[in-house]
Amino acid sequence: MKMKHFTYFLSLFLILITFIFSANSTIVSHDDRAITINGQRRILISGSVHYPRSTADMWPDLINKAKDGGLDAIETYVFWNAHEPERRQYDFSGNLDLVRFIKTIQGAGLYSVLRIGPYVCAEWNYGGFPVWLHNMPNMKFRTVNPSFMNEMQNFTTKIVEMMKQEKLFASQGGPIILAQIENEYGNVISSYGAEGKAYIDWCANMANSLDIGVPWLMCQQPNAPQPMIETCNGFYCDQYEPTNSSSPKMWTENWTGWFKNWGGKHPYRTAEDLAYSVARFFQTGGTFQNYYMYHGGTNFGRVAGGPYITTSYDYHAPLDEFGNLNQPKWGHLKQLHTVLKSMEKSLTYGNISRIDLGNSIKATVYTTNEGSSCFIGNVNETADALVNFQGKNYNVPAWSVSVLPDCKKEAYNTAKVNTQTSIMTEDSKKPEELEWTWRSEAAQKPILKGSGDLIAKGLVDQKDVTNDATDYLWYMTRVHLDKKDPLWSRNMSLRVHSNAHVLHAYVNGKYVGNQFVKNGKFDYRFEKKVNLVHGNNHISLLSVSVGLQNYGPFFENGPTGIKGPVSLVGYKGEETIEKDISEHQWDYKIGLNGYKNKLFSKKSVGHDLKWAAEKLPTGRMLTWYKAKFKAPLGKDPVIVDFNGLGKGEAWINGKSIGRYWPTFTSSDDGCKDECDYRGTYGSDKCNFMCGKPTQRWYHVPRSFLNKSGHNTITLFEEMGGNPSMVNFKTVVIGTVCARAHEHNKVELSCHDRPISAVKFASFGNPVGHCGSFAVGTCQGDKDAAKTVAKECVGKLNCTINVSSHKFGSALDCGVPEKKLAVEIEC
Ligand SMILES: *[C@@H]1O[C@H](CO)[C@@H](O)[C@H](O)[C@H]1NC(C)=O
Ligand SMILES: *[C@@H]1O[C@H](CO)[C@@H](O)[C@H](O)[C@H]1NC(C)=O
Ligand SMILES: *[C@@H]1O[C@H](CO)[C@@H](O)[C@H](O)[C@H]1NC(C)=O
Ligand SMILES: *[C@@H]1O[C@H](CO)[C@@H](O)[C@H](O)[C@H]1NC(C)=O
Ligand SMILES: *[C@@H]1O[C@H](CO)[C@@H](O)[C@H](O)[C@H]1NC(C)=O
Ligand SMILES: *[C@@H]1O[C@H](CO)[C@@H](O)[C@H](O)[C@H]1NC(C)=O
Ligand SMILES: *[C@@H]1O[C@H](CO)[C@@H](O)[C@H](O)[C@H]1NC(C)=O
Ligand SMILES: *[C@@H]1O[C@H](CO)[C@@H](O)[C@H](O)[C@H]1NC(C)=O
Ligand SMILES: CC(=O)N[C@H]1CO[C@H](CO)[C@@H](O)[C@@H]1O
């Protein structure tokens, strides 16, 4: 009782303080149980949405859908290299308008979590670090290096000052309740020795000195220096306990799915398993959790990290790349959030008792004076359970958690999905045929003869000379061979030890071949037979980067480009000789002329230069293509099909929609038709699209398009392709299904189109999955399809009560709960 009074008076006191000092400010703090807001412990559900991975036009819709999905907060990183592309030259325009993003969150009435980093990982190019930073003298990242600390402090301070100026911290009445400094440093700290500890202490002091008035987080940082709050990241965090027992149990990254690499498959994390991980976390005392990602989005331009992260960053998140609801994930989580929120008081103030029911089944009871809330978790991966708990029976499937807000009735079970599945597809309209013009990359001829804009003895690291302003760097040298050369009487080949993400080789103007990485090893040997001539031979190597590494201790020093040695090898029978040419004088040409001249832009230099309409080449390397097109009608998201193209970059009206590489397909093996949600998820667990292009379709944001006039698509085709198959489509709902459990309600909707027909409905023990449902061994005696049709056809949405009363008291189906399977047509 005493304790309760004390808490009560404390809350009152804090509220009073709030009023006295600032009518608007919110006091954010924490105790051992939870984050507190104005003295109240809170259950907070947050989701990551990275502002540069969508467009400012998309933000309000994404944030509203997040709010509708039951989130309290939106979390984002801050992307240093996007904001400070050159030292002390800043960009906060367009989709980099951080202030506008935070204000949009505020406008929707949500909180915001600002993870400044400024190291962010995030599958973002170079983990968010600018490459100019790496190229400063005496630089060492993420340790006690004065130059690094100075720059990190400078950027962090700038962001904090911007936020303060706009009064965006909760302490000023704004939406930002939490901030983060550094990122997952605990994973790598041991590689930095004693300096690592000194550095993380410095980070804490530096952050603290910025006086933002809300708590700072450090994720994956056991024993975070005070007053930083440590948090957990991972697919599950139920086993996690903060090292400091005064810290609340917080989960800053719950990976809702996974990202994609070129050459990889589509990752897929089921709604059941994601909901299970969340419910487990709250069952085991968690009070703050963040979905990474809630909306993944798109890596526009060259922002993808890597190497080899794809342009799509869909992540199989609750909102898909285009901002559509990823159903059933979005809806299934929304229901969980509603139930958890209804238990906020008991979860944050209740006494906790745990009951072991055997066979990996555990119940947790949270008790306050006002009542109790319960969880029953079945961690067994295979055995469904009929559990007797406090005198009542509950059916708790394997690998699931039942939530009982009053400890008497199951309000939610993570494995019982009562949300519709929406399968998105491209529209079936006949696409516009495009008329292409083309021209070759103008630089080619002089380059292949070896003239560049920088000369050095020996081989250079790519990012050291390009500052990563471009993906492309030419390495060019001459080799003089006279008749006395011992190579001469032999078969000769060019051998290149390379770290280039893609390498193209030319000898005397002729293409010799390319190589790229197929097994994740970015350190390989290229070797191809070549024909050399007496006198001078020109060797030209084009090194292409496909996203800079973003993770790992000292990742910033990973070699890029052609590390060498580069040699000519002569073979005679078993005997080989090697002529190392690495230390020759090399000419370097940074970037491609078409980029320099902005061929993708209306303001292109030399637009008077001809684009040919005749003899459209296919399979031709280093070629630019251009076509006009009309924007697809309506509001549905626009996508472009790049099937037929090789590899390159694409622009719409001068704006880059990212790198493309549809010829890079995933391996044939490792896919299953169906994904079993049970058992520990990992990024390899449920993959789809084996043997298919990793990414065939690319997002064209509506705001890049002119609705009424012409639009221009420009392609730079690096490897050779056929643009005649390129076409624009929109993303629409294809099939809508549901498989809902008895005693529940299920809502069906075709988004903004009316429901046109019921394709299938059966109540009982139906089998199969969406698209291939079939009647099981029993079903209710009323016509289910007719019943659903009566309630749904012609409407934008309908809610069906799943009950025997409605569908006919079926017979003993031999299952604990009957299900309704429905497929509707939109
Ligand atoms: C960052 O450094 C520049 C000098 O390079 C200085 O003018 C500026 O005030 C610094 N900004 C902050 C926020 O410390
Ligand atoms: C644990 O956290 C509390 C406050 O949250 C702090 O006072 C204490 O010093 C911390 N303990 C350690 C070992 O860091
Ligand atoms: C899961 O249940 C099965 C069947 O009851 C049992 O054999 C197995 O030991 C259980 N596994 C765990 C981890 O409890
Ligand atoms: C919670 O536990 C404390 C300490 O054991 C006890 O004094 C208090 O009465 C309990 N409260 C409830 C609501 O059970
Ligand atoms: C060169 O290669 C060809 C076929 O690959 C072989 O027949 C010939 O003997 C080789 N010459 C030398 C000098 O090794
Ligand atoms: C869109 O196209 C129309 C017709 O060509 C033109 O008048 C208008 O200026 C264009 N709008 C933009 C934003 O480019
Ligand atoms: C359901 O449809 C009605 C109109 O029939 C509409 O007013 C309502 O907003 C829709 N609800 C949802 C969740 O789409
Ligand atoms: C569904 O059932 C609830 C009671 O469980 C009832 O209040 C509601 O009106 C029913 N809705 C429909 C559409 O039948
Ligand atoms: C420790 C760990 O696994 N970190 C990962 C966090 O998640 C991102 C993916 O979103 C990875 O890049 C990190 O490696």
Side-chain angles (χ1 to χ4, degrees), residues 602 653 703-711:
K602 257 196 208 147
N653 298 330
S703 61
F704 288 11
L705 294 170
N706 185 334
K707 259 194 276 191
S708 50
H710 282 303
N711 296 282

Side-chain angles (χ1 to χ4, degrees), residues 251-307:
W251 189 3
T252 38
E253 288 192 13
N254 172 357
W255 303 326
T256 53
W258 203 242
F259 54 85
K260 281 198 298 190
N261 287 306
W262 298 113
K265 297 161 191 138
H266 287 221
Y268 182 94
R269 187 177 188 190
T270 62
E272 291 94 327
D273 180 56
L274 183 54
Y276 166 81
S277 72
V278 176
R280 282 283 298 159
F281 181 69
F282 286 97
Q283 172 171 12
T284 55
T287 50
F288 172 100
Q289 82 106 35
N290 177 67
Y291 294 102
Y292 188 98
M293 305 291 298
Y294 196 76
H295 170 256
T298 310
N299 288 314
F300 297 113
R302 302 172 52 249
V303 306

Side-chain angles (χ1 to χ4, degrees), residues 87-88 90 150-151 153-159 161:
R87 193 163 178 265
R88 305 297 178 259
Y90 297 97
N150 179 47
E151 294 297 317
Q153 178 160 13
N154 192 284
F155 180 73
T156 307
T157 308
K158 176 162 183 85
I159 295 299
E161 281 174 359

Side-chain angles (χ1 to χ4, degrees), residues 104-121:
T104 310
I105 295 169
Q106 182 174 29
L110 295 181
Y111 293 127
S112 141
V113 178
L114 191 68
R115 298 214 281 162
I116 299 178
Y119 166 64
V120 299
C121 190

